[in-house]
Every structure is written in C-alpha cells, then in structure tokens.
Amino acid sequence: MKILAIDDQRIVLLYLKKCLVQLGYEVETTTNGHQGVSMLTSFKPDLVIVDINIPSVSGLLIIKYIRENYSVNVPILVLSGTNDEKVKQEAFNFGADGFLQKPVSLREISVRIKQLLKNPTCIKSHKTLPQEQYIQPNVVGIVIPCYNEEERLKLETFREFLHKNLGYHLCFVNDGSSDGTLDLLNSFKKEFEHSVIVLDQKTNVGKAEAVRLGALSLLENTDIEYIGFLDADLSTDFKDLKKLQDELKRSNNLICSGSRIERMGAQISRKGSRAIISRIVNRLIRLTVKMPFQDTQCGAKIMKRDVVNVAFKQPFYTKWLFDVEIFKRLSKEYGHKYVVKLISEVPLDKWTHMEGSKLSFRDSLSILGQIASIHLKYDVLPLGYITKNKSSIKSESVGERAANDLVEQIQ
C-alpha cells in the first residue's frame, strides 16, 4: 500500500519513511506542498500524511484540494506540532480523517495508519518497531564543545536520547583534544549519520569559539528552528533542556537560559568555592554590564535561529564570558530594554558539578578582568563587533576572520 507524506521538516520525513517502509508500505515524501499535490496523480497514494505548517502552501489547503479535486475517499492523517484547537477543527472540517500532535511515537502513527487503511493484512505489526521513539514538534540543534572528554563523555546517555527523540541534531565540536575524544565522536557519528555532526578543530580554540563555530554550522541546516548548547559532561541533563525548549516555544522569548538557583525540590549540586566565585561574578556582571540575571554562566541555553547570526557572527572577546557577550550583542542590535524582556531564565530541576572541569581557579580570577573588558568593548568604545545592519549575515571565512582580527589589533 502507498503512503504520501508531506512535511517541511526533512528529518521528520526521513524517520517516518524508514519506519513505514520497514512495516511494508511504499512511501514517497516531499517538503514542498505544491509538489505534494502534483504527486497525487502520479503516485496515487492510498493514504496521505500532511503537516499543517508548510511554507509553500498550507496543509489545510492541501486537505481541501484532495477532497475537492482528487478523492473523497483517500484517508488523510494530519501530523502537526500545533495545539491550536481551531486549527484542528478546521482540518477536520476540510476533510481530515485523523490528527496526531507532535511529539508522537512512531508506534502510534503506525497504529493510526493501519486503522485508517482498515487493517491491511500485508502490513507488519507496529510491535516490530522500537519502543518510545518520538517525532518531535520542532527540529533542534545542540552544540556540545569537547576538550579532552574521553573519560567524561556520556555517549550512552546521548545515544539513548537520540534513539527516543527524533528531530534533534547534535553538533560535537572537538576542540583540539589530545586524548581519544575525536575517535569516540567519529565512531558515535557513524551510528547517527543523520543527526550527529562532528567538527574537528586541530588546535584548542576555547569553549567560546567552539560553541560559536558549532552554532554557525547548525545554522546551515534550514530545518533547524532552535539552536542551543550543553556541556559535554551533561551537568545539565536533557530533561531540563526540554524544559528550556518548551518555554521558548510557548513564549515570545529570543533565548531561554538555564539558572542554577537553589530552591525547594531542585537538585543543585555546586562545590563551595565555585559557588562563591559564581555569586561574585554574577554580582559584578549585574553591576558592571547591566545584565540583570541571577545566573549568566550556566552552560545550558537555547535560542531561536533568527538571533544566531547576531549572537555568533563574530568571534568573542573573552574566553569564558561569551554568554554575557551574547546579551550585549543582542542589546546593541535590538535595544537593551527589549532584550531584557525577551531573554528568560528558567530554573533547572537538576544540576550536578562534574569533576574534571576545564575552568581552573586561576581562570576564575581572570574573569574579573574579562568583565571589565566586556564593559570597555561594548559600552565605552564607539566601535565594536556588532553591525547595525539587520539584514541576513553569512558566517565569515577563516581568512575574513583573520583579517578582522588584524584590524582589531591595529585599532
């Protein structure tokens, strides 16, 4: 039996097709609504799966077209991330036979398809599919900077997450590691060729630059809607990452940042000396840089792709305070008062200090000078990295970056 799937997210179609072919269906897919309509007569599907939010033409119009011009009998299953009840009602009014809201498991999709096709005996049971594999409502890219993480990299946790959550892209940036980190990452990439990227920096460039390069690499994938970053040791876990993502989706925020605020019910484990230094640093940042947040340095943040170019276009001045620089760049681009309202701190439920942190006590002391540097570069000097041009900006080449660095030194 034939199934036509129309969705603007290629990663969703990839997993959906793999699942349905495994069960015995013949499947064609497209990310273009107009092309999907033209495929109706050439492919002649027995069932159509369609998303609502398709840029070229609304999924609702595709449903209407099928009912008015192609067939009143072919089953139509809507697969969408929207929770708008009016949209759901309209889909059924136009002629949809079923509506599944993402996140939704592949098993549930397969069961619903079989019901709509009157349980064809030629199709395998959904029980042959892996358990708990969910297609997500948004495609999310996550940068994980790695420097000598061979002993701390929790690949089994990453593996379990990717198996269960279809629609995430992980970009591991090997930051000039001298141990076996790169070999581990390359081996892991072979397991997840469609959802794992490995960027190899031959020399150590620091966390700030590693995150920046990873974010720009993910930005090249037009499917990705949100881009964030996590520490390789997963001191912030994926459950809290999803909490940040959910907040970003239901709000007007540009960025959602994890906050390690100690409160009842939360499991926040921080070493005494590091906790004291962190409080001092955050206090100085609030006073000097006018960044009114409780925890600027938490290594878990997620943002809408629209602001990634502004945040990461140029190399950062500082090694450890690039989070603060992101705030200053957005402030210069959109206005301080506007950005303060659209960057949200989300309290984490769990954060665990992991031994082997790359931030030494000496580095912690140098942060004081970096705060002063940020204030000087962004608030005092008339010239800076940030452009006033609101148009789309392409990431610069290595040669352009070197030239800009040279100009900066001359200035």
Side-chain angles (χ1 to χ4, degrees):
M1 305 196 76
K2 297 180 179 181
I3 295 177
L4 172 62
I6 309 170
D7 195 300
D8 64 323
Q9 297 175 341
R10 287 169 293 179
I11 190 71
V12 168
L13 294 176
L14 187 150
Y15 287 117
L16 188 60
K17 182 174 182 177
K18 181 179 178 180
C19 154
L20 297 179
V21 168
Q22 180 181 333
L23 294 179
Y25 295 101
E26 184 179 347
V27 182
E28 290 290 343
T29 65
T30 179
T31 58
N32 184 285
H34 292 292
Q35 184 178 8
V37 169
S38 67
M39 292 171 69
L40 291 170
T41 53
S42 59
F43 183 57
K44 297 181 180 179
D46 299 295
L47 179 142
V48 176
I49 300 175
V50 63
D51 189 10
I52 294 295
N53 299 315
I54 302 174
S56 57
V57 57
S58 166
L60 293 174
L61 293 180
I62 293 176
I63 297 171
K64 186 177 181 181
Y65 177 88
I66 292 174
R67 289 294 176 247
E68 293 180 353
N69 300 280
Y70 178 67
S71 172
V72 295
N73 297 318
V74 63
I76 303 173
L77 176 62
V78 177
L79 185 62
S80 176
T82 184
N83 58 0
D84 190 326
E85 291 299 324
K86 291 183 179 179
V87 172
K88 294 180 182 179
Q89 183 177 351
E90 197 168 5
F92 284 113
N93 288 339
F94 280 164
D97 298 282
F99 196 113
L100 292 178
Q101 184 179 332
K102 305 172 188 174
V104 59
S105 72
L106 290 176
R107 282 195 171 197
E108 184 175 353
I109 294 172
S110 66
V111 168
R112 189 67 180 123
I113 289 173
K114 225 177 178 186
Q115 289 174 341
L116 291 174
L117 291 173
K118 311 300 182 185
N119 295 309
T121 56
C122 59
I123 301 301
K124 296 179 183 177
S125 169
H126 66 276
K127 294 181 180 180
T128 61
L129 299 173
Q131 292 185 0
E132 298 183 329
Q133 283 195 325
Y134 288 84
I135 290 179
Q136 300 300 315
N138 303 100
V139 180
V140 182
I142 303 297
V143 181
I144 303 103
C146 301
Y147 175 59
N148 290 340
E149 302 287 354
E150 182 180 12
E151 300 299 325
R152 302 201 310 161
L153 202 57
K154 299 179 179 179
L155 287 185
E156 188 54 43
T157 303
F158 287 110
R159 182 178 290 110
E160 181 180 0
F161 178 78
L162 288 176
H163 273 306
K164 291 183 178 181
N165 299 277
L166 309 178
Y168 281 85
H169 291 264
L170 302 185
C171 178
F172 293 91
V173 184
N174 178 52
D175 187 16
S177 299
S178 57
D179 61 0
T181 298
L182 180 59
D183 291 336
L184 281 178
L185 294 178
N186 284 333
S187 177
F188 188 64
K189 183 182 184 306
K190 291 179 181 178
E191 295 182 49
F192 300 94
E193 58 179 333
H194 300 294
S195 52
V196 171
I197 303 169
V198 176
L199 298 183
D200 181 28
Q201 295 298 308
K202 301 301 181 184
T203 58
N204 180 251
V205 295
K207 180 179 179 179
E209 181 67 358
V211 171
R212 190 182 78 87
L213 294 174
L216 292 177
S217 176
L218 288 171
L219 193 62
E220 295 176 2
N221 186 332
T222 56
D223 280 357
I224 294 177
E225 299 164 270
Y226 303 149
I227 292 178
F229 50 91
L230 284 176
D231 291 331
D233 59 15
L234 291 179
S235 49
T236 302
D237 62 21
F238 284 113
K239 184 177 180 180
D240 270 322
L241 173 68
K242 283 194 170 185
K243 185 179 179 182
L244 299 182
Q245 179 185 332
D246 290 343
E247 175 63 23
L248 190 63
K249 182 179 180 179
R250 65 172 167 257
S251 69
N252 292 321
N253 292 321
L254 299 173
I255 297 177
C256 284
S257 175
S259 182
R260 298 163 291 185
I261 299 174
E262 296 183 19
R263 68 192 197 286
M264 290 185 65
Q267 302 176 40
I268 308 297
S269 173
R270 306 177 73 176
K271 290 182 65 174
S273 59
R274 291 286 292 274
I276 293 172
I277 292 172
S278 179
R279 291 192 190 100
I280 294 173
V281 168
N282 278 295
R283 179 64 175 168
L284 288 172
I285 288 172
R286 289 198 296 272
L287 291 174
T288 307
V289 188
K290 303 295 188 294
M291 186 175 176
F293 302 121
Q294 297 296 317
D295 186 6
T296 62
Q297 299 312 110
C298 179
K301 290 178 174 61
I302 191 165
M303 64 191 72
K304 294 179 179 176
R305 68 174 288 125
D306 296 344
V307 302
V308 172
N309 257 328
V310 177
F312 292 103
K313 179 202 170 192
Q314 299 283 1
F316 295 103
Y317 284 109
T318 60
K319 183 177 181 181
W320 297 107
L321 298 181
F322 68 95
D323 313 71
V324 181
E325 290 195 59
I326 289 174
F327 171 78
K328 298 303 292 184
R329 292 177 179 192
L330 295 180
S331 294
K332 281 185 173 288
E333 183 75 9
Y334 303 113
H336 181 84
K337 292 183 179 180
Y338 177 78
V339 169
V340 167
K341 295 178 181 179
L342 294 181
I343 298 181
S344 173
E345 279 191 291
V346 180
L348 300 177
D349 293 326
K350 184 178 181 181
W351 189 88
T352 306
H353 171 78
M354 300 295 182
E355 296 298 330
S357 170
K358 306 303 184 298
L359 180 63
S360 66
F361 184 76
R362 184 175 180 179
D363 289 327
S364 298
L365 294 178
S366 74
I367 285 178
L368 301 179
Q370 293 181 44
I371 294 174
S373 175
I374 290 174
H375 177 59
L376 177 68
K377 303 286 189 183
Y378 289 94
D379 298 325
V380 178
L381 296 179
L383 297 177
Y385 276 141
I386 309 304
T387 178
K388 293 297 182 181
N389 183 7
K390 303 295 191 300
S391 61
S392 178
I393 303 168
K394 294 182 180 179
S395 60
E396 57 184 0
S397 66
V398 175
E400 290 171 332
R401 186 162 66 247
N404 285 336
D405 289 343
L406 180 60
V407 171
E408 178 198 341
Q409 293 172 20
I410 294 173
Q411 291 176 337

